[in-house]
Amino acid sequence: MMIKFQRSTHPLTLTNNLPHFSESCFSIWNPNRSFSLSSPFHSHHHSLTDHRVLYRVLEQCRISRDSKTAAKTHARVVVLGYATYPSLVSSLISTYANCRQPQIANHVVHHVFAHVSNLFNMNLILERLMKVGQCDVAKKVFVKMPVRDIVSWNTVIGGYVKNSRVVDALSVFRVMLNAKVEPDGFTFASVVTACARLGALANAKWVHALMVEKRIELNYILSAALIDMYAKCGRIDVSKCVFEDAVLFSRMEMENVLPDSVTFIGILIACSHCGLVEEGRKYFDMMQNQFLILPQLEHYGTMVDLLGRSGLLDDAYDMIKAMPIEPDVVIWRALLSACRNHRKKELGEVAIANISRLESGDFVLLSNMYCSLRNWDGAERVRQMMKKGGVHKKHGKSWIELGGSIHQFKAADHLHAEMKAIYRVLEGLNQRAKLEGFAPMTELVLMDVSEEEKEENLNFHSEKLALAYAVLKSSPGTKIRIFKNLRICQDCHNWIKIVSRILNREIIVRDRIRFHQFEGGFCSCRDYW
């Protein structure tokens, strides 16, 4: 039996004439079972008339980039009259975009505006596109929308932030203000988070001033976001003031305000960053026994991080094994990181065996652990695994802002116009640091080479070059701010502590993990990051 689809006037036909498909070619895969896409009028295939089933099929097509099955499912969606359902529209757009068929994705977008006039549904489409990372497609939809409300703007701004496109988020926020659309608390929650990730103090001050000007009421979420923003922008003093003005846990208890699961996540993270093991255990037990809140993955992950950072790796592993829910990749990575720091090879191998999709950072942690134990064969095996899997280590870079310009550096960089002067300053700092007792941590170098070669490798890390340039170009006594895309290594951390004392200057380094404020030979993280 052949099913022929005549030219359709429905908004979301793939082309003017849908392709002719036989019953046999309509076989599609579903996580739960296999279906045959035959005539929609056959009652025994009723499950295929369910838009939720079709959505799951499209999502699988998006993940596997199966454009042929996507096209067949699209035809099914059209025939059944589901072509204006927000979940299916957004899934179709993102699936075609992921399958590298932008023309068809744009075709679907074009017809959305001809037949979806409901603002609520348009906002749902925006949200779903942002959720699966299709920011550019979502922006096209947003720009074409004839009418937008505050939810539309918040969805785009928040979506950009969640997809780590913070510059775009701030750009849309400025367009929003120019369009005379009044931002609300949800808008500022996203924008403040964007400023924190960018680490730009000027933007942070501007956004905070806007919040005050527009009399945005602070809640727990906004207060926490402001604290994080100023800390990551290097203004720990302002961050502390916001913190002291916010509602604290002890004050909540006095005022009989019941904490929720989010409250305890914040408390446990604070305990982890401060190394407060017993306090962390106390609040973890209190959450369950006193407030009857069941721990979620985030709570377990923070406890594993706290115990692992403190060297209690057996306790951390016992907690993972006792979890009533399946541990996720974040938890195993927290354990792997702790194993690298405390040189626990066997447990580190257990952690990496439980990470289903290894990324470059996982391999680097494992390789670092082998190198710290001088297990060069193990480190070489890891490098071969990376090579075989086509995994490349993410290159570190650091940058500083001087005179309105961004100056970026990579390790052993020679591209900067003033590189000779930068290396002269760096050499002087290295000599003075050694006189003050600094010893390079050569065990961090992932190569079986001489100690001299290892030391030379460490000398030219990107943050050291950025610091040398800041010393070269700034006035004595002024504050230095450096940004880094990866976690600062222990060698650079120890070196900058000593340099801050030698120069009698405050040096701020914002890395991928947290904010570090170096002053007088000490760091605000207390060597715990």
Side-chain angles (χ1 to χ4, degrees):
M1 171 185 174
M2 296 292 292
I3 303 176
K4 185 175 180 180
F5 293 93
Q6 300 298 329
R7 180 171 180 176
S8 170
T9 57
H10 200 282
L12 292 181
T13 48
L14 285 172
T15 59
N16 286 341
N17 289 285
L18 283 169
H20 299 160
F21 297 127
S22 66
E23 288 187 50
S24 60
C25 75
F26 268 119
S27 178
I28 61 175
W29 186 89
N30 180 273
N32 299 318
R33 56 176 293 192
S34 180
F35 297 101
S36 174
L37 278 175
S38 59
S39 172
F41 304 106
H42 291 178
S43 60
H44 62 279
H45 286 300
H46 174 72
S47 60
L48 280 171
T49 66
D50 190 336
H51 69 278
R52 292 168 295 187
V53 175
L54 296 172
Y55 173 77
R56 290 200 296 271
V57 174
L58 283 172
E59 285 300 286
Q60 184 60 35
C61 292
R62 179 178 64 82
I63 295 168
S64 61
R65 294 183 176 178
D66 184 353
S67 59
K68 290 183 179 179
T69 303
K72 297 171 187 176
T73 312
H74 189 172
R76 187 73 175 181
V77 168
V78 171
V79 169
L80 293 173
Y82 292 143
T84 58
Y85 277 44
S87 60
L88 291 174
V89 170
S90 57
S91 188
L92 280 167
I93 295 170
S94 59
T95 298
Y96 283 126
N98 217 38
C99 291
R100 297 185 177 89
Q101 293 188 334
Q103 298 90 346
I104 304 179
N106 289 334
H107 178 81
V108 178
V109 170
H110 174 75
H111 283 88
V112 163
F113 294 97
H115 298 274
V116 181
S117 57
N118 185 299
L119 183 57
F120 177 78
N121 285 345
M122 291 300 303
N123 286 338
L124 280 179
I125 292 171
L126 276 180
E127 181 187 9
R128 290 175 182 272
L129 287 171
M130 283 296 189
K131 188 175 182 180
V132 296
Q134 293 291 343
C135 299
D136 293 333
V137 181
K139 181 66 181 298
K140 287 181 181 178
V141 172
F142 176 75
V143 169
K144 288 185 177 182
M145 287 172 64
V147 179
R148 308 182 192 103
D149 61 4
I150 186 65
V151 176
S152 313
W153 290 94
N154 287 350
T155 300
V156 173
I157 294 170
Y160 272 134
V161 173
K162 289 173 184 175
N163 285 284
S164 300
R165 292 177 56 170
V166 294
V167 174
D168 291 324
L170 289 172
S171 176
V172 174
F173 178 61
R174 288 188 172 90
V175 173
M176 177 185 184
L177 296 175
N178 291 335
K180 308 300 181 185
V181 179
E182 281 298 310
D184 60 10
F186 293 102
T187 317
F188 279 107
S190 296
V191 173
V192 167
T193 301
C195 291
R197 293 186 183 178
L198 192 60
L201 183 58
N203 281 304
K205 289 180 176 179
W206 169 64
V207 170
H208 194 182
L210 272 177
M211 289 176 63
V212 174
E213 176 189 324
K214 296 182 180 298
R215 300 185 179 183
I216 299 295
E217 185 178 351
L218 289 182
N219 53 27
Y220 303 140
I221 296 173
L222 276 174
S223 294
L226 283 171
I227 293 166
D228 184 55
M229 178 183 75
Y230 277 115
K232 287 179 177 174
C233 291
R235 287 301 304 271
I236 198 67
D237 52 338
V238 181
S239 180
K240 185 178 178 182
C241 289
V242 177
F243 177 75
E244 289 172 347
D245 289 338
V247 177
L248 309 180
F249 185 76
S250 56
R251 199 177 301 170
M252 289 174 68
E253 288 186 305
M254 288 188 293
E255 297 177 5
N256 295 318
V257 177
L258 289 177
D260 58 12
S261 62
V262 178
T263 308
F264 279 102
I265 289 173
I267 294 167
L268 293 175
I269 288 174
C271 291
S272 178
H273 282 186
C274 295
L276 304 174
V277 176
E278 293 311 312
E279 288 82 354
R281 290 186 198 268
K282 181 186 77 172
Y283 285 117
F284 188 74
D285 292 337
M286 180 191 296
M287 174 178 68
Q288 301 171 79
N289 301 326
Q290 184 175 334
F291 295 99
L292 304 179
I293 298 173
L294 290 176
Q296 302 300 311
L297 277 172
E298 293 87 348
H299 302 101
Y300 283 111
T302 307
M303 284 302 297
V304 169
D305 185 60
L306 169 59
L307 295 169
R309 285 173 180 267
S310 302
L312 302 173
L313 292 167
D314 291 335
D315 289 357
Y317 187 42
D318 287 342
M319 173 163 282
I320 293 175
K321 290 188 291 185
M323 286 173 56
I325 48 181
E326 190 74 19
D328 65 356
V329 66
V330 175
I331 290 176
W332 288 115
R333 282 187 177 134
L335 182 64
L336 176 61
S337 179
C339 290
R340 179 262 172 272
N341 290 336
H342 297 283
R343 304 182 182 183
K344 296 288 186 180
K345 179 176 73 72
E346 292 78 10
L347 193 52
E349 290 170 344
V350 170
I352 207 162
N354 281 280
I355 299 175
S356 57
R357 185 174 295 178
L358 294 168
E359 296 180 358
S360 61
D362 304 318
F363 287 108
V364 171
L365 282 173
L366 187 62
S367 183
N368 282 350
M369 182 169 58
Y370 283 130
C371 289
S372 67
L373 296 168
R374 299 185 180 278
N375 184 341
W376 307 117
D377 289 338
E380 179 59 27
R381 284 199 305 273
V382 174
R383 283 194 288 271
Q384 291 303 318
M385 287 167 62
M386 294 176 70
K387 186 177 181 180
K388 186 177 179 181
V391 179
H392 302 283
K393 181 182 176 182
K394 189 174 182 180
H395 294 293
K397 58 184 178 181
S398 299
W399 62 95
I400 59 173
E401 183 179 1
L402 288 174
S405 299
I406 301 294
H407 298 265
Q408 185 171 293
F409 301 89
K410 294 180 181 178
D413 207 340
H414 288 280
L415 297 177
H416 198 279
E418 299 182 73
M419 218 65 227
K420 288 184 179 179
I422 292 171
Y423 275 103
R424 282 197 300 270
V425 173
L426 181 57
E427 181 61 29
L429 291 174
N430 285 333
Q431 291 177 1
R432 294 178 66 183
K434 284 184 178 180
L435 291 174
E436 292 291 325
F438 173 72
M441 299 184 68
T442 53
E443 69 270 19
L444 297 178
V445 179
L446 309 182
M447 295 178 287
D448 185 12
V449 294
S450 68
E451 290 297 306
E452 290 79 11
E453 289 175 289
K454 289 181 180 180
E455 184 174 330
E456 185 175 347
N457 179 281
L458 292 170
N459 282 343
F460 306 122
H461 279 190
S462 62
E463 52 267 60
K464 292 181 179 179
L465 293 173
L467 177 53
Y469 184 67
V471 171
L472 177 68
K473 305 300 289 187
S474 61
S475 303
T478 57
K479 189 180 297 185
I480 296 173
R481 288 188 177 87
I482 300 170
F483 303 90
K484 184 174 174 66
N485 67 327
L486 302 178
R487 182 179 184 268
I488 187 173
C489 78
Q490 196 171 348
D491 180 80
C492 289
H493 193 271
N494 292 342
W495 182 81
I496 295 176
K497 282 198 300 182
I498 291 178
V499 170
S500 72
R501 185 175 71 240
I502 292 171
L503 300 179
N504 192 26
R505 295 177 73 166
E506 184 180 347
I507 303 168
I508 292 163
V509 179
R510 187 275 174 95
D511 71 3
R512 185 178 64 83
I513 301 296
R514 65 180 300 166
F515 151 84
H516 300 266
Q517 182 182 25
F518 299 92
E519 194 169 11
F522 298 94
C523 179
S524 58
C525 76
R526 298 190 294 175
D527 300 338
Y528 190 86
W529 77 99

